[in-house]
Amino acid sequence: MASSTSTSTYTPTFNNPTTRFSPSSVSNRSSISFGKKPPNSIVSALQTPSILQIPKQVPMKSSSSTGIVVLPSSPVVQQNWNVLQKVAAMAFDAIEDGLKARVNMRPLPRTVDPNVQIAGNFSPVPEQQVRRLLPVVGTIPEYIQGVYLRNGANPLFEPTSGHHLFDGDGMIYAVKFDNGSVSYACRFTKTHRLVQERAFGKPVFPKAIGELHGHSGIAKLVLFYARGLCGLIDHTNGIGVANAGLVYFNNRLLAMSEDDLPYHVRVTCSGDLKTAGRYDFDGQLESTMIAHPKIDPVSGELFALSYDVIKKPYLKYFRFSPDGKKSNDVAIDLETPTMVHDFAITKNFVVVPDHQVVFKMSEMLTGGSPVVYDKEKVSRFGVLDKYAENGSSIKWVYVPECFCFHLWNAWEKPEHDEVVVIGSCMTPADSIFNECNEELKSVLSEIRLNLKTGKSTRRQIISPENDVNLEAGMVNKHLLGRKTQFAYLAIAEPWPKVSGFAKVDLSTGKIKKFFYGDEKYGGEPLFLPRTSNSAAEDDGHILAFVHDEKTWRSELQIVNAMTMELEATVKLPSRVPYGFHGTFIDANDLATQA
């Protein structure tokens, strides 16, 4: 039974259930039981009885009316290669087979070993067509009308070498509420990459984290672009997986990963999901966009960043008006390409982290990973006016030894010339990407940036005796960029699973915990406010996908955010893997989709 409590502590460990992958086992791994397993280990979305039906892609161009870029016709989709192309394809396949055999001769690091990264309920599932009239235990609040969606990484094909959890193909899981009736569906986001790989019959695009390291990573890149030069694949229309973030903006649901443009996905009247195509905002967006854009609840504008690992400017900032008109890019000067996964907004500013996890492509030449923790660099935050025409006015404030993979909110304290930033400071900073024996910690922190003195302070919000790893969550979206009392964050214990969520008073550090139940684990909690102008900030409910590792069944739990009590549970017809970030689209907004 799910429960709410104010005490509990776990020792973070990493799991390693037995799976069928070919790479050698990695020594000195701690393990967590994933409970009852399916009859056979699932290592790709094609291994279980599948209803995968990828629609034929109709060639279209970006139009001013839709801004959609639907994939052009290509040789790989049509399978009309000439003799030279067929010979080239056979040669490339032979080279690739030899490369994989060489890579798999040695044990893979835990951070790219499929045995670790997609074991248990991190493993993929096939698509699920709409299932209606789902059983509900308890009572769903009447105001919950619309669709709850969550994104995740779900590899279509079994990994053939290194694979990181973040490398999987994007799949969206959707629960639709319609006057007491509940339905469920999950579908791949039909990215340019996924459509081509399905036509190819195997993964041919390099995996950004799992494969692009060392000499083998260089070889993978060379092989990939050689296939492109021969017309076997088309890499000119993006290589992203759209598996991380979701945002509903300007009447469109956008699925995002920071290595590509977003993809527009439509929610049908029945609750199904249809990929409309790659979305460039009517030809305005020519670069990638990170997976955590911010919508200002007052102005309705969307603010975003784009980073580049090869050429300057390494970081760009831009915004969109509520009707989708893009501003000019604002270049932010960084000395080295840096991982900027998230950022924050306030009423007047954008707050940009420049941390110690950087990209050094030259490391691949010496056999290493291009994602590097730079010990010589000092972390800092940049504060820039939202409507700045260029980056020259940005004010940098150093915050030593600080890496926040996610920022939950920020606001201004003009009486003190300060900007307050709320984030989870993670150590070791690169532990998600590079193998490390040190225990991961994610500490909820308040960081104050003094714009007058250029100095910073940082405090741990929760007292050490009550502290837990908190990663993934949100504040009330109607107060984003303004001072908030509460944050709702995933209890990432035992790492990397999520046993529940915490409601944290950001001023006092008081914490209330809700646990999903015995051997039940979930993901990011989504706070759904009852209305946009409720008198109480916490007047609303938490929605979270939960998986029971004893019965191998999944459900959606709905928890009252004020009382921290479970009010309803929706029993889902198929397993929902642990995933990433989500959103909720109100029924009125669904009716006005583009």
Side-chain angles (χ1 to χ4, degrees):
M1 180 180 293
S3 63
S4 177
T5 180
S6 59
T7 60
S8 185
T9 305
Y10 292 89
T11 302
T13 52
F14 211 102
N15 66 81
N16 181 34
T18 302
T19 56
R20 299 192 304 102
F21 289 104
S22 57
S24 303
S25 62
V26 178
S27 61
N28 298 324
R29 293 188 191 134
S30 56
S31 64
I32 296 173
S33 172
F34 269 98
K36 182 180 178 181
K37 305 298 188 299
N40 298 298
S41 298
I42 300 170
V43 292
S44 85
L46 297 180
Q47 279 189 261
T48 51
S50 176
I51 56 168
L52 294 177
Q53 296 293 331
I54 296 188
K56 182 179 180 181
Q57 299 295 318
V58 181
M60 291 178 60
K61 296 181 179 180
S62 175
S63 70
S64 58
S65 61
T66 66
I68 295 294
V69 180
V70 177
L71 312 182
S73 177
S74 67
V76 64
V77 176
Q78 296 177 3
Q79 292 291 298
N80 60 350
W81 300 336
N82 60 37
V83 174
L84 291 178
Q85 287 175 316
K86 291 178 180 178
V87 171
M90 292 173 62
F92 293 146
D93 286 348
I95 294 171
E96 187 174 47
D97 289 342
L99 181 63
K100 286 187 293 188
R102 183 171 181 176
V103 169
N104 291 338
M105 287 175 63
R106 292 175 293 181
L108 291 167
R110 289 177 298 174
T111 50
V112 295
D113 185 352
N115 287 294
V116 174
Q117 293 295 309
I118 51 174
N121 194 45
F122 290 95
S123 62
V125 294
E127 289 187 311
Q128 172 69 65
Q129 61 188 348
V130 179
R131 297 284 295 274
R132 300 179 178 85
L133 302 175
L134 301 182
V136 177
V137 178
T139 302
I140 297 172
E142 291 184 3
Y143 79 92
I144 299 182
Q145 302 289 332
V147 61
Y148 169 51
L149 307 118
R150 201 213 63 202
N151 212 345
N154 195 79
L156 176 65
F157 292 103
E158 178 176 353
T160 56
S161 56
H163 180 93
H164 189 280
L165 176 64
F166 295 174
D167 288 326
D169 297 294
M171 176 174 276
I172 300 176
Y173 310 84
V175 176
K176 189 171 185 286
F177 302 87
D178 186 8
N179 296 314
S181 177
V182 186
S183 66
Y184 171 79
C186 66
R187 297 288 187 183
F188 281 108
T189 298
K190 307 303 189 294
T191 62
H192 187 70
R193 175 187 188 124
L194 182 138
V195 170
Q196 290 194 74
E197 289 192 333
R198 183 167 176 81
F200 222 97
K202 65 177 183 178
V204 290
F205 283 63
K207 295 178 180 179
I209 304 175
E211 293 180 335
L212 294 187
H213 46 82
H215 301 135
S216 63
I218 296 173
K220 278 275 187 182
L221 282 175
V222 171
L223 188 62
F224 173 66
Y225 285 108
R227 280 179 169 138
L229 288 172
C230 292
L232 305 178
I233 57 174
D234 177 12
H235 54 70
T236 63
N237 286 278
I239 61 173
V241 288
N243 66 13
L246 294 172
V247 67
Y248 189 76
F249 175 72
N250 192 26
N251 301 320
R252 293 169 177 86
L253 172 65
L254 302 179
M256 300 160 292
S257 58
E258 51 211 56
D259 52 358
D260 205 342
L261 271 65
Y263 276 80
H264 176 195
V265 179
R266 292 192 181 98
V267 182
T268 70
C269 294
S270 67
D272 209 346
L273 301 161
K274 302 292 184 183
T275 304
R278 197 165 174 250
Y279 186 63
D280 63 3
F281 291 84
D282 300 336
Q284 299 176 93
L285 183 62
E286 298 179 349
S287 63
T288 63
M289 188 171 86
I290 69 169
H292 289 286
K294 309 297 180 186
I295 297 178
D296 189 295
V298 176
S299 71
E301 297 166 293
L302 182 140
F303 300 86
L305 298 175
S306 172
Y307 67 79
D308 195 303
V309 303
I310 302 295
K311 64 182 186 300
K312 287 190 172 185
Y314 296 129
L315 186 65
K316 295 183 292 188
Y317 157 70
F318 48 89
R319 68 183 187 278
F320 294 93
S321 64
D323 59 355
K325 298 295 187 295
K326 183 180 175 293
S327 71
N328 292 328
D329 290 336
V330 175
I332 297 176
D333 187 31
L334 300 181
E335 292 183 5
T336 57
T338 301
M339 176 172 288
V340 186
H341 180 72
D342 200 359
F343 73 114
I345 62 171
T346 69
K347 179 180 179 181
N348 296 296
F349 302 114
V350 289
V351 182
V352 180
D354 178 22
H355 293 334
Q356 293 169 282
V357 178
V358 301
F359 296 96
K360 291 186 178 180
M361 306 308 290
S362 59
E363 291 291 317
M364 296 177 69
L365 298 174
T366 57
S369 168
V371 183
V372 176
Y373 175 68
D374 187 348
K375 296 179 180 179
E376 304 302 318
K377 184 177 179 180
V378 180
S379 291
R380 60 181 184 168
F381 286 85
V383 181
L384 180 67
D385 188 285
K386 275 181 175 177
Y387 304 99
E389 301 264 330
N390 57 67
S392 61
S393 61
I394 193 167
K395 296 181 179 179
W396 292 104
V397 180
Y398 287 94
V399 186
E401 299 300 323
C402 174
F403 174 75
C404 294
F405 199 55
H406 293 108
L407 300 175
W408 312 122
N409 201 14
W411 59 83
E412 301 160 29
K413 290 187 73 69
E415 67 276 17
H416 296 121
D417 296 307
E418 287 182 335
V419 170
V420 179
V421 182
I422 305 297
S424 292
C425 294
M426 184 180 292
T427 55
D430 62 340
S431 57
I432 293 178
F433 306 102
N434 295 315
E435 193 162 18
C436 179
N437 293 323
E438 186 178 344
E439 182 180 283
L440 184 142
K441 295 294 293 181
S442 185
V443 178
L444 183 62
S445 304
E446 178 193 87
I447 303 160
R448 289 180 176 248
L449 311 173
N450 192 299
L451 304 185
K452 188 173 182 179
T453 65
K455 297 185 180 299
S456 69
T457 61
R458 180 171 48 150
R459 73 173 180 91
Q460 183 173 333
I461 292 176
I462 302 170
S463 61
E465 61 270 20
N466 294 320
D467 195 28
V468 290
N469 284 332
L470 298 177
E471 238 310 314
M474 63 190 306
V475 298
N476 187 323
K477 66 180 181 179
H478 297 305
L479 295 173
L480 190 69
R482 284 75 182 167
K483 185 176 182 178
T484 44
Q485 181 179 357
F486 300 113
Y488 309 90
L489 303 170
I491 299 175
E493 297 182 356
W495 178 262
K497 295 190 286 186
V498 172
S499 54
F501 68 88
K503 175 185 178 182
V504 184
D505 188 313
L506 300 174
S507 297
T508 66
K510 183 179 179 181
I511 180 172
K512 294 183 179 179
K513 302 173 188 176
F514 179 89
F515 293 98
Y516 296 130
D518 183 36
E519 291 192 49
K520 289 184 176 183
Y521 301 94
E524 177 188 71
L526 181 135
F527 174 73
L528 181 64
R530 187 179 301 273
T531 67
S532 60
N533 55 3
S534 295
E537 180 186 317
D538 57 350
D539 184 12
H541 287 76
I542 300 294
L543 281 66
F545 283 115
V546 174
H547 180 69
D548 188 330
E549 296 191 350
K550 291 184 296 183
T551 63
W552 206 249
R553 294 183 180 276
S554 298
E555 61 193 27
L556 177 71
Q557 294 189 4
I558 302 174
V559 180
N560 188 308
M562 299 184 80
T563 65
M564 294 291 281
E565 294 179 354
L566 180 67
E567 290 194 355
T569 301
V570 179
K571 301 297 183 179
L572 300 176
S574 58
R575 182 172 63 86
V576 180
Y578 305 132
F580 301 138
H581 307 292
T583 191
F584 190 94
I585 306 176
D586 183 85
N588 293 328
D589 289 329
L590 284 177
T592 61
Q593 289 181 93

